[in-house]
Amino acid sequence: MDTGISAAGKTGPLAGLTVIEMAGLGPVPLAGLILSEMGAEVLRIERIGASPPLLDLPAEYDLDRHGRSILRIDLKRGEGRELLLGLVAKTDMLIEGYRPGVMERLGLGPDAALARNPALIYGRMTGFGQDGPLSDRAGHDITYLAYSGLLHAIGRQASPPVPPLNLVADYGGGAMMLIAGVLAALFQRSRSGKGQVIDAAMVEGASMLATPVHAFMAAGLWRDERGVNLLDSGAPFYDTYETADARHVAVGCLEPRFFAEFARLLPLDQRFAHGQYDRAIWPAMRAEIAARMRQKTRDDWETVFAATDACVAPVLSLREARDHPHNRARGAFVRSGDLDRPARRHASRKRRRRSAPRRPIVISSRRRFLRVSASPEARLRPLSNPA
């Protein structure tokens, strides 16, 4: 059975790209999944003897392993290191999320990898970056968000900061920034022929997402406090409201013409309708909006505001979002076995294939039963079965 890195049979804008993903948690696996679903062939390297995963998910739900080939290698042994470097010599990209220095101690750092393959794009994902006073510290999304200043900004006035799941630092400032970095390097390589190292840090990535907020603050349009600004629940026309059935609607009518539509349909008293940005009446405006919203159910309000530009939406649960008519029409979710999950999208309108976990291939580096082929596809071919 052939296994390993092979671009054959995949479609998408990254078809033909080969990627090695060093197994880890959070942003790097999501980046690997997204690259795979854009057409890249991703080989996930799992270390023999590594600690068990934090969440022991059944294979059909473990998206960290979907859409990849998987090899388990003992990277502490010289044979395992040489096996991986042999793969690196024939791949386009490597992404890893270990603490600074781990790959170097394994003999697999950027210097060793680029010596084997000068065209390699080496993507590194950490919380604090490869250097600096905190670079060797452990953390999670909430940790990095705290250091970015963003956690301070999220939540309601006079209430503690609220963690926005792990979407901002791990995935927005982490996985997406890593993907942007390696794809920018891929474009540069198309001109220079040379690879490079991408140092992506979640603190800096999350901070980058807040660049407009820093500009608003410098211009005097934003206060460095929670819940008192235009986009943080401070404005009554950019917030959520409870409905008659104890569910919620989201109101986001920032522009005067959208707010006018909202005020007409709710309806709002004329003094509020004509005083959208008069902060002095915001508390009273909020109270009137809240009272009106409690008069109908969430779905009733969805009907009232349907086909309008009032920027009012039902707050859907994760399960409800999968079945919303718009998401169904767009094919926004796909079914993979028993799992319904968000689907990739690119320019092709062809039927999307679900990604699924592939059977892991365990590589015992104490036995020389594998070789790396010299073919452009860089397949791994078993020469004999391990004992």
Side-chain angles (χ1 to χ4, degrees):
M1 178 180 65
D2 286 348
T3 185
I5 305 180
S6 171
K10 297 201 74 171
T11 61
L14 297 184
L17 185 76
T18 54
V19 179
I20 291 175
E21 172 199 333
M22 305 301 294
L25 296 175
V28 169
L30 181 63
L33 177 67
I34 292 172
L35 291 171
S36 170
E37 299 208 327
M38 288 194 290
E41 187 68 30
V42 179
L43 175 63
R44 177 178 167 94
I45 303 297
E46 298 183 350
R47 296 167 61 183
I48 292 176
S51 301
L54 179 65
L55 300 175
D56 188 16
L57 295 174
E60 61 268 29
Y61 304 133
D62 189 356
L63 291 177
D64 287 359
R65 307 177 93 217
H66 281 214
R68 288 96 151 165
S69 299
I70 300 171
L71 291 179
R72 293 178 182 156
I73 305 177
D74 185 352
L75 294 176
K76 293 184 178 180
R77 298 182 63 88
E79 300 97 317
R81 180 173 61 253
E82 285 303 313
L83 173 61
L84 185 54
L85 287 173
L87 286 169
V88 163
K90 296 177 175 66
T91 197
D92 293 300
M93 188 181 296
L94 181 147
I95 55 176
E96 60 95 0
Y98 300 144
R99 289 202 213 186
V102 171
M103 289 292 279
E104 284 82 354
R105 289 193 292 273
L106 290 170
L108 299 168
D111 290 345
L114 288 164
R116 292 291 184 100
N117 181 359
L120 179 72
I121 295 164
Y122 197 113
R124 317 196 80 174
M125 180 83 263
T126 58
F128 296 105
Q130 295 295 316
D131 51 41
L134 298 177
S135 60
D136 62 348
R137 288 268 299 275
H140 288 289
D141 183 283
I142 194 170
T143 316
Y144 311 130
L145 207 58
Y147 277 104
S148 74
L150 289 182
L151 187 58
H152 165 80
I154 300 173
R156 295 191 175 275
Q157 187 179 21
S159 296
V162 177
L165 306 184
N166 67 327
L167 301 177
V168 179
D170 270 5
Y171 297 141
M176 294 305 177
M177 291 295 181
L178 176 62
I179 291 171
V182 296
L183 293 183
L186 186 65
F187 175 75
Q188 186 182 59
R189 191 184 71 181
S190 72
R191 298 188 169 194
S192 69
K194 296 179 181 179
Q196 60 179 289
V197 180
I198 305 300
D199 175 9
M202 284 176 259
V203 170
E204 294 158 17
S207 297
M208 181 64 71
L209 297 177
T211 298
V213 176
H214 285 275
F216 298 155
M217 193 160 56
L221 301 175
W222 192 277
R223 289 158 56 187
D224 197 10
E225 303 173 41
R226 270 188 306 285
V228 298
N229 297 290
L230 190 62
L231 304 175
D232 62 358
S233 78
F237 45 84
Y238 199 90
D239 205 349
T240 59
Y241 291 90
E242 187 174 356
T243 56
D245 54 349
R247 294 195 282 184
H248 296 84
V249 295
V251 176
C253 43
L254 294 170
E255 295 84 352
R257 68 184 186 277
F258 299 156
F259 179 76
E261 184 81 343
F262 169 72
R264 180 180 67 83
L265 292 169
L266 192 59
L268 271 181
D269 185 274
Q270 285 300 301
R271 71 186 182 103
F272 300 131
H274 296 298
Q276 179 182 7
Y277 280 91
D278 181 356
R279 284 178 173 263
I281 64 172
W282 277 7
M285 182 190 298
R286 184 185 302 277
E288 178 162 333
I289 294 173
R292 293 282 188 186
M293 287 297 183
R294 286 193 292 268
Q295 294 175 3
K296 297 180 186 293
T297 68
R298 185 198 68 179
D299 293 346
D300 287 341
W301 284 119
E302 182 179 16
T303 301
V304 168
F305 290 104
T308 77
D309 282 336
C311 303
V312 176
V315 177
L316 303 177
S317 72
L318 293 172
R319 287 189 173 90
E320 287 176 317
R322 299 189 306 227
D323 293 322
H324 189 273
H326 177 81
N327 293 333
R328 290 177 66 87
R330 294 274 297 169
F333 292 83
V334 292
R335 190 161 187 83
S336 178
D338 292 330
L339 172 65
D340 289 303
R341 68 174 184 84
R344 66 174 170 87
R345 292 194 66 87
H346 56 72
S348 172
R349 297 295 296 176
K350 294 180 180 178
R351 180 180 177 86
R352 289 188 289 272
R353 295 186 304 168
R354 65 179 178 87
S355 67
R358 301 183 186 178
R359 181 184 175 189
I361 306 301
V362 181
I363 307 305
S364 171
S365 59
R366 292 171 292 179
R367 297 288 305 274
R368 298 186 63 187
F369 65 90
L370 287 175
R371 67 178 173 84
V372 180
S373 79
S375 67
E377 293 81 11
R379 294 178 183 269
L380 284 178
R381 303 183 186 279
L383 299 183
S384 62
N385 292 323

